[in-house]
Structures are given as structure tokens and as C-alpha cells.
Amino acid sequence: MVSVLYVIEREFMRKTFESLDQHVDAESAYVPARPEAVGSCDLIPEVHVDDVEDVDENVRSVDPDVVVYNHRFRIDEVSFHEEYPLVHVRHGASVGRGEVETTVESTAHAVDVALAPGGRWAEQYVESFPESVRVSVVGIPEADDLVTAERPHERRVLYAPTNHNYGGGSYLHTAHDVLDLFADSDYELLFRPHPMDRIEEPGQSLTEECRERIADLPNVVFDEHSTPRDSVLAADVLLSDYSGIVTEWLHTGRPLVQFTDLADEAADVPRIGHVTSAAELTLDDVDALYDQGYSERAREREAAFRNELGIPMDGRAGERAAQEVVRCTQ
């Protein structure tokens, strides 16, 4: 009998479930919620269903002790949460874009347990969720492996902005500038658009343009990994904005460049690392970050922001998340 059931909406979202499921001592499985999630996860058994979008029927046919979400897929349309405890854990802990407010507003009626990446999120959860919702700070399970990972020292830079349509990030305004900067340099660039900017316009067209450019750039690699784990482990410097990958990257202790060229003009990039526009970033800046790390001022700023986020970075987030999930089965 399946006790813990994960609902996977998109392939890249499996990363959170895989990281916590290895610590779950109960039988577990997942159901896909979209066609692209079918066969997306090798580490957790899949429940084969007739209609992937009939989440209610698929959950009830499994009859688990607890259901785990890390998204909001059709949460206003399903009703399984009236019968089964629902745990929510984030698949990305963005430091901007109002994602916490959106999550609370859309899931408040359905969630029983909210697992927060850090104190900053937990405070908002406690303030906004009904009193019946149990809130627990667990950390970021998919970042556990990064805590003890050694820096590669391979002059490798990862470009990974947040998505355009849902995050209003920097991708549309920075992609070509980044390619211009690193083309034929002595750095290897891992070019990683958000998965949604590979399948939805206007990001999709830009992604294809960049693919064509990259084919002629021997030092640039289009990153095809379905999750960012391997890319983060392989990189010395991250170029991003306020994407959830930033909070994962903080576990590495490596330098971060944050672009301010946002599509959402009303949004701001929290100042954590080296903050700049893509047009103003130079290879000298990258050299300084690669060779020396942050300036003293930037180092102090990052430390203060880490403290504000309140994310436990001890490599045990998956354990804590699993404990909270299993608690719902008892």
C-alpha cells in the first residue's frame, strides 16, 4: 500500500520530492499531473493512470495516507484534500516576485502542513495561513548536496535566470548580452533558461535563437539537464536574478551575480551578491569574483541576507521534510 503520494506537475519539479523521499521510511509513489511528468522520475515509483489530469481520481485510486504537493496545479479545482492530508513543500524558494503571497492565497483552503524553506517564509505562512495549518521550517531539500560540495575551479559560469511569464525575470533582457560577453572568452558558460522559457512564448523563441548562436560558440554549452543540480555543482559563478536557484546557490558559498534587468518593472532584485545590469557586467568583474570572491561589502551584505532568510543550511533539509511528511501517516 502506498502511504506517501507525490503529485508531480512538471519534470523539473521532481527534484524536491527525490531529495526528501530518500529519507522517507514508508512506501511511496508519485502520480503525474501533466503528460510531460509521465516517466519523469526514476527514483520514485510511478503510479500509471489513465488520465493524468484527473488528479482527484488518481489520488483516490491510490488511497494514500498523505499527499505531497510542491506546486499549485489546479488546487482550486480538486477536492481530494478534503479526504487526505496535504503537505506543501516548495520546488523553488524565490527571493522575489511575490511567490509566497501567491502560494498562500491559492492553497490556504487545501493545505494541512506547510514546509517552509526558512524563517522568512515561515513568518509569512504563519501570518497568512489558517491557524489549523502546521508550519515547519525545514530548509531546501534539493540543496542538501551542495553544502559539502567542493568548488570545481574550472572557470565555469552558470547562467540561470528565473522564468519570464510567471516570474518576470531577466531572461528576455539579458540572454544575448550574456552570450556576447562570454563568447570566445576563457570561461565555459553553461546557458540554462528556465524550463518554462523553453516551451512557452516569448521565452521559447528567444531560447531557440540562443541555441542557434551557441552552436557556433565552442565555450558555451546549452544546459539540457532537467534539474539544475548537476549544473550548480559544476559551476564556479552563478548569473541569475531573484530565481529560486539563488537560494540553492547560497548553500555553495560561491559568488553570485544578480541582474537587475527585470521584465517586471515593479519588481526589485534583493541585493545579495554582485548586483548589476547585464550590459554593465565585464569580464574583469567576473575575473575578480572568480579569483577573489566578493568584495568585503558584498560579503557582509550576503551574510546579512542569509540571516534574514533563515534557511538552515546543514544538509539535513530532506530529513526534516521527510519527518514532517511521515508524521502525517501516523
Side-chain angles (χ1 to χ4, degrees):
M1 171 185 171
V2 172
S3 182
V4 177
L5 183 66
Y6 308 100
V7 178
I8 298 182
E9 180 189 356
R10 300 185 184 277
E11 182 181 14
F12 69 90
M13 294 180 179
R14 64 182 170 82
K15 61 179 184 175
T16 316
F17 298 143
E18 291 177 343
S19 300
L20 74 86
D21 186 68
Q22 61 183 308
H23 303 289
V24 169
D25 58 2
E27 186 171 350
S28 62
Y30 83 91
V31 291
R34 290 183 187 270
E36 69 186 70
V38 175
S40 64
C41 182
D42 295 328
L43 300 182
I44 303 173
E46 179 179 347
V47 176
H48 296 282
V49 298
D50 294 328
D51 181 359
V52 294
E53 295 194 2
D54 193 347
V55 178
D56 274 333
E57 171 59 28
N58 297 335
V59 169
R60 291 182 175 119
S61 67
V62 175
D63 192 28
D65 292 317
V66 61
V67 182
V68 188
Y69 256 47
N70 66 348
H71 47 81
R72 303 185 303 273
F73 181 69
R74 293 176 51 201
I75 195 67
D76 57 336
E77 300 175 22
V78 298
S79 61
F80 70 81
H81 51 81
E82 297 173 2
E83 303 164 48
Y84 303 96
L86 178 59
V87 176
H88 186 274
V89 56
R90 306 191 68 80
H91 74 267
S94 173
V95 291
R97 56 184 260 197
E99 179 65 13
V100 176
E101 292 82 358
T102 303
T103 295
V104 170
E105 182 178 317
S106 59
T107 66
H109 69 290
V111 170
D112 296 284
V113 180
L115 305 185
R120 183 187 190 187
W121 291 266
E123 289 176 6
Q124 294 183 65
Y125 287 173
V126 170
E127 187 176 303
S128 304
F129 276 124
E131 291 185 3
S132 59
V133 176
R134 186 171 82 246
V135 176
S136 178
V137 175
V138 297
I140 303 176
E142 53 265 47
D144 282 347
D145 291 345
L146 305 178
V147 174
T148 58
E150 294 186 5
R151 178 182 166 181
H153 292 285
E154 295 288 347
R155 301 188 68 80
R156 190 176 295 118
V157 176
L158 170 62
Y159 169 66
T162 196
N163 64 79
H164 174 76
N165 287 346
Y166 309 102
S170 62
Y171 182 49
L172 296 189
H173 300 301
T174 60
H176 282 298
D177 282 336
V178 168
L179 290 178
D180 290 343
L181 178 64
F182 286 96
D184 302 318
S185 72
D186 62 353
Y187 286 97
E188 179 183 357
L189 176 68
L190 301 180
F191 187 92
R192 183 180 177 81
H194 189 278
M196 300 308 297
D197 283 323
R198 308 180 195 202
I199 62 174
E200 292 183 349
E201 294 294 357
Q204 184 177 16
S205 294
L206 175 59
T207 298
E208 292 310 310
E209 289 176 19
C210 292
R211 277 185 188 272
E212 292 182 11
R213 286 195 63 184
I214 289 169
D216 296 322
L217 299 174
N219 66 315
V220 181
V221 176
F222 190 94
D223 188 349
E224 299 282 7
H225 291 114
S226 59
T227 71
R229 177 183 177 276
D230 290 337
S231 310
V232 170
L233 286 170
D236 295 291
V237 179
L238 173 67
L239 313 179
S240 190
D241 36 45
Y242 46 39
S243 169
I245 200 172
V246 167
T247 49
E248 295 177 39
W249 182 261
L250 289 176
H251 290 68
T252 70
R254 303 170 199 166
L256 163 70
V257 174
Q258 290 178 280
F259 290 135
T260 56
D261 320 75
L262 303 177
D264 183 353
E265 296 181 356
D268 292 312
V269 169
R271 297 179 67 86
I272 304 172
H274 180 88
V275 183
T276 182
S277 69
E280 294 176 339
L281 182 67
T282 68
L283 288 179
D284 286 342
D285 295 330
V286 180
D287 286 340
L289 289 167
Y290 180 86
D291 294 329
Q292 304 161 26
Y294 289 132
S295 66
E296 182 176 351
R297 183 179 179 184
R299 189 176 297 109
E300 291 174 353
R301 184 170 64 228
E302 189 210 49
F305 201 81
R306 281 173 179 256
N307 186 61
E308 179 185 334
L309 293 177
I311 301 172
M313 299 184 187
D314 56 1
R316 300 184 58 193
E319 293 179 37
R320 285 187 290 270
Q323 288 171 359
E324 293 295 336
V325 170
V326 172
R327 182 177 171 185
C328 294
T329 71
Q330 300 166 348

